């Protein structure tokens, strides 16, 4: 299932070491100004090779719009966008051809399909998110015209919360051939009340599904999230005054529908599974083996998850806002 | 959006104080034995009025199958099921007609629709889950025939973890006119490898969406969940041996696809928003007011969430298993 | 697949001789006045037993709204509606239990599911259309508030085109234990320009799918339909003047999108397959047999198809109009 | 809505005079051999410029597979395919920039979107069908491995039925600056019994929607189609013998489900609306005008519809066959 959304629909395609990765957007409103320049900045934020904290894979990741615009405006036709893969180094993966990398999708993909493109994870690679991010940038442009801004940030890396500590944790893990996880937060404001659809299209359910569908994410929480499990109702309810809500424990969503407050979501990101440290595994024939994954890998994927999470939040909101517009 | 699922689809309907609540299941395999007796036990587990820990609303919640079976077997036709509402006490809600209850969907529904059925939350009531649970029971029966069992349990209530402490927390909160939250865990085994569909139909994404779509749930985590954010990759990866995985930090899902291990998911449940404690709010005309919600409410919704969470997990798994069967 | 539509979605359920038949509508706009009285008249038009031209099965077909309204207004919640089956006469079908009736779905259902509810065709019975018609009546009410009216009529019965001839054909066929087919036409006006969605949600494609999905329909044409195959382009194009189109060969749809003209669709309806005339068939065990279907059958289903076709056209238009409203 | 299908899903993109047209296939089974050579022959059959009977637009229409295969086999990942537009001649359309061409989608697209890519019809161009045909070729390859073959043919051109007469009609219309319509037939065999899904996923309903969604198609009939409207039931029913059905008036579909007989569908194709003959129209500002469309147009689109219709039939059958496989 490579399509996401009901009204603002995206379909992504492409593998880590194939010819290209891309996306088709279906349902974007017509007559919106759109060019590659609107999309490239968000893509550049997820691009590898830009700091010692990220993978050294060098890719320019230049987006090209193939369809859906005419004289600089969207026409209502599907918007297809493409990034050509440049720096594939497929041979880096020759040694891993038959091995299942622990923590990766190798074993489960092979179980499912009976075949896998072992080069860089194939379809399960993080490069697939290029399509999501490109589409998210288009959604963000439209949302901004409606007064809605989506932002994301790193909240924790391996338990630390200041930029200096976080960088230190990442570099230290990298040096030891290891990796670390962390927490990302995304917010959206000013989000109008009424987005989301009871009972199976709830805004928080859509966000949770969208975020948990990002590789490496193992937990999602809305508003105060897991902390509410240890609260009294009298502490947790957000009182309402004539001027609005007195607090926002709920993260901007009540009964699955936006309340007009800021939307707040946090994701738990696991440490990158590709590590140089030796691990036990087996190959596709059932033989035990040891594996040490050297090469171009992020010691911490958290920074690069941020634009992907922003993109997914923007896509959910654009979808729900279009849904809501039917009933204005 | 009152339909859930792609292959094993359910559509629920009904309000807290309407004539009836129910569900239509579409896509259930034919020639499976099915009667009300297969469904009632799970419904009884979510039924109120059975202990001092739950709401005193007395409902027998007897399920009736209206269609889709013939001589005790499913036929492939849609299975419609109905529970008649008996103990409505609509007048209990007269005082709340124009007030927004904090922590409930009242404000957001009214913002969305410009009208609301104020009686017991109308469509946003927990009674809607009767349809989900009835459908979940059918899914469970089919899953069991495929060797898959879904179970759920209470892991925490207001930070406590033993039955006695948990009961104490609930009764103490009830006495004070307050409420408490907690954590529910669900598992599924033996789940075959290969369920879930990259990249937007990932098993963990579907589970997260399903669980976050249950009222009162504010967080979802798979496997070790938020704990992974503070791990090293070398700690968090599950090694693979000839005999299988050496651990299950991943909660049975890799790259969004089941690995054959036990599926593990946990939900953070907020304290019931209906409390006798006085709260500030406003009415639909914008006037400030105070509200104290007496009546038949659960001081802790956690126990009654368990069968709902089991039902949703079963529905997701049945859906994914049917999807996977296309490609056998 | 018992769900139809994307924005104005309906899910039907129930069999000919089960407990009840019904429908759940999802996506109907809130705050629309709605009661059973809005729905019953269209249902009465499809009801059997009202004239010598139709089946003698006596059913009052009284619709009951179970959910989705509050104090006479829709709330945005799903609208579930039910008709209880009264006059089942299941034993009429005992002799047919193992026989495949020619021209019916008996053989194909049994091939698909390995089981069938033989009583009156089970799910494949025309009684399933009660749900469609009830939902169509709701769609029509909403469309009328938007200025759109859907109407239907009988255009041909067995090649004849006047009411007297048509009645004569039907009675004459009935007398001989036979049946006859005909042609139904539906129109919608004043339908705004812009409905329908290129390239796979074209209005004519949706209408064709909806109409061909009515039992007994074997052909669908839009505007001048099959006649255009024998035309020159210069004859067939509808010229455009400042005042509008000069003709309507296209039936109100250009490039799959409504042009603002009257929508025109015609359906070819086959003669009822249930006839007293002796036919060759076989049973589920492979034995040859002869079959003569006596009992309560329509010698011509064309009159009862009219309200069903109207309902389906209304459902498609309501769906497309909601879709279009997203982009106003 | 640029996506078609539920299990074998395709998403097309691209405009007549944009950079490229293409398609993404989602849900194609893994481990099927696939290369461009499997796809090009069907594309070549729809290509223009190959005979005096078709448009003179010269396009090589070379398909390129961008993703979804590895070492010559499908992997289960989405298959993206692209054809670059070469021979755009956009300036041919300068004179038509503000004019609505009668019989085309110009007026309705402009009404819907408030903008249009006037160059060759933009998204409404027949070039969009390149994506459908490419995807259809993949579906056909998979169907053939299951024993199902789809074929198409021209049955009528402007009322004539022999190749020589048909060619004569086309050339004569072309000479006079006019165009002619006709009828296409497609069949599929050996199609297993059980395909199609009651009540809104009927095989005939899906086929009718797919076929009516091809530009220029104004009518669709299954089996004997409109002829059944003038039949008696005793003539029209297909008797069943121990050896199978004695006839195939139904076109291989009973109750919306395939019976195991040959599937037969026919389409009425209108005369190409682009003609040199002078027509009345108006421009986007409301001014009346005259229009004569010279340039590279097909005097009869019927021959080029054949591979498109085959592709759509193959896509529907692949979709239904996958659906059915869930329940084997």
């Amino acid at each position: 299932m490579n399509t996401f959304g009901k009204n603002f629909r995206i379909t992504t395609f492409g593998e880590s070491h194939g010819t290209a990765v891309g996306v088709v957007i279906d349902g974007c409103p017509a007559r919106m100004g759109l060019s590659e320049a609107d999309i490239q900045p968000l893509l550049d934020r997820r691009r590898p090779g830009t700091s010692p904290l990220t993978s050294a894979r060098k890719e320019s990741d230049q987006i090209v719009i193939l369809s859906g615009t005419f004289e600089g405006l969207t026409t209502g036709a599907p918007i297809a966008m493409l990034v050509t893969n440049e720096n594939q180094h497929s041979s880096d993966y020759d040694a891993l051809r038959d091995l299942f990398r622990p923590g990766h999708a190798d074993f489960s993909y092979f179980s499912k399909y009976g075949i896998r493109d072992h080069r860089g994870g194939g379809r399960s690679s993080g490069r697939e998110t290029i399509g999501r991010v490109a589409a998210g940038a288009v959604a963000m442009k439209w949302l901004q015209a409606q007064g809605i801004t989506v932002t994301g940030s790193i909240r924790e890396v391996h338990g630390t919360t200041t930029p200096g500590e976080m960088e230190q944790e990442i570099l230290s893990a990298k040096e030891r051939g290891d990796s670390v996880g962390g927490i990302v937060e995304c917010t959206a404001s000013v989000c109008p009340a009424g987005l989301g659809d009871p009972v199976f299209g709830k805004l928080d359910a859509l966000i949770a599904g969208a975020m948990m569908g990002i590789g490496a994410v193992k937990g999602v929480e809305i508003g105060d999230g897991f902390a509410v499990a240890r609260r009294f109702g009298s502490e947790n309810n957000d009182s309402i005054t004539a001027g609005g809500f007195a607090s926002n424990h709920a993260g901007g969503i009540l009964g699955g529908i936006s309340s007009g407050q800021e939307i707040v979501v946090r994701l738990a990101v696991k440490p990158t599974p590709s590590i140089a440290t030796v691990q036990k595994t087996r190959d596709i024939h059932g033989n035990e083996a040891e594996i040490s994954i050297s090469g171009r890998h992020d010691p911490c994927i958290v920074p690069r998850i941020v634009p992907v999470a922003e993109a997914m939040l923007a896509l959910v909101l654009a979808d729900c806002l279009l849904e809501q517009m039917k009933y204005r």
Side-chain angles (χ1 to χ4, degrees), chain A:
Chain A
M1 174 50 69
N2 298 281
T3 297
F4 181 83
K6 180 189 168 196
N7 302 296
F8 195 102
R9 290 177 297 280
I10 70 166
T11 301
T12 71
F13 58 87
E15 291 87 37
S16 175
H17 290 64
T19 306
V21 293
V23 66
V24 182
I25 304 175
D26 195 4
C28 182
R31 296 188 314 279
M32 178 175 91
L34 187 70
S35 74
E36 283 85 350
D38 294 307
I39 297 156
Q40 197 63 47
L42 194 66
L43 271 183
D44 288 346
R45 283 177 52 209
R46 80 155 288 294
R47 192 154 53 90
T50 58
S51 100
L53 301 179
T54 60
S55 156
R57 177 170 174 168
K58 291 258 186 297
E59 292 277 1
S60 62
D61 288 351
Q62 290 299 306
I63 195 80
V64 176
I65 299 176
L66 294 179
S67 68
T69 61
F70 177 58
E71 301 182 341
L73 296 176
T74 59
T75 62
I79 302 167
M81 300 189 285
L82 209 65
V83 163
T84 304
N85 289 327
E86 294 167 350
N87 188 12
Q88 292 139 322
H89 289 207
S90 296
S91 56
D92 283 6
Y93 290 89
D94 286 353
L96 302 175
R97 188 180 175 99
D98 290 349
L99 287 180
F100 298 130
R101 294 168 301 164
H104 276 289
D106 298 358
F107 175 80
S108 52
Y109 268 58
F110 191 76
S111 298
K112 185 176 186 72
Y113 296 113
I115 182 176
R116 73 184 172 102
D117 178 350
H118 68 281
R119 303 165 306 167
R123 181 67 180 152
S124 73
S125 163
R127 274 192 81 69
E128 177 273 330
T129 61
I130 285 177
R132 306 189 192 196
V133 169
V138 178
M140 279 181 201
K141 184 165 190 194
W142 182 67
L143 287 173
Q144 261 159 354
Q146 321 296 318
I148 302 172
T149 304
V150 169
T151 55
S153 60
I154 305 174
R155 289 292 298 262
E156 270 190 42
V157 168
H158 202 236
T160 65
T161 56
T162 67
E165 291 171 313
M166 295 194 285
E167 185 166 339
Q168 211 45 54
E169 285 292 330
I170 296 174
L171 292 174
S172 146
K174 183 183 183 183
E175 217 163 281
R176 305 207 328 268
D178 214 334
S179 62
V180 286
I183 290 178
V184 167
E185 183 174 282
C186 279
T187 61
S189 59
V190 180
C191 189
L195 302 195
D197 203 21
V199 295
F200 294 121
K202 286 177 175 165
L203 182 54
D204 40 7
L206 296 177
I207 292 173
M211 295 305 185
M212 197 70 96
I214 301 172
V217 172
K218 300 300 287 184
V220 182
E221 55 182 17
I222 303 290
D224 290 355
F226 274 85
V228 307
R230 305 193 169 185
R231 294 249 179 84
F232 288 113
S234 56
E235 297 170 302
N236 192 56
N237 285 347
D238 299 308
S239 305
I240 318 179
T241 69
F245 289 91
S247 53
N248 188 17
H249 299 304
I253 303 176
L254 286 168
I257 297 178
S258 65
S259 64
Q261 294 187 277
E262 187 178 56
I263 307 288
V264 182
V265 56
R266 269 181 309 284
L267 332 177
V269 180
K270 74 177 183 182
T272 323
S274 290
I275 52 177
T277 310
V278 174
Q279 301 175 81
K280 290 187 176 170
T281 188
R282 68 176 189 78
D283 67 17
I284 61 173
H285 310 294
N287 305 308
E288 299 206 337
E290 294 203 325
I291 189 169
S292 163
I293 304 169
S294 52
R296 306 169 303 170
H297 304 291
D298 295 281
C300 179
I301 199 70
V302 174
R304 295 181 61 204
I305 293 282
V306 175
V308 181
E310 292 175 17
M312 292 310 299
L313 182 54
L315 288 166
V316 169
L317 290 173
D319 200 55
C320 289
L321 191 54
L322 281 174
E323 179 71 21
Q324 185 62 358
M325 284 183 172
K326 292 190 304 193
Y327 298 105
R328 281 177 306 187

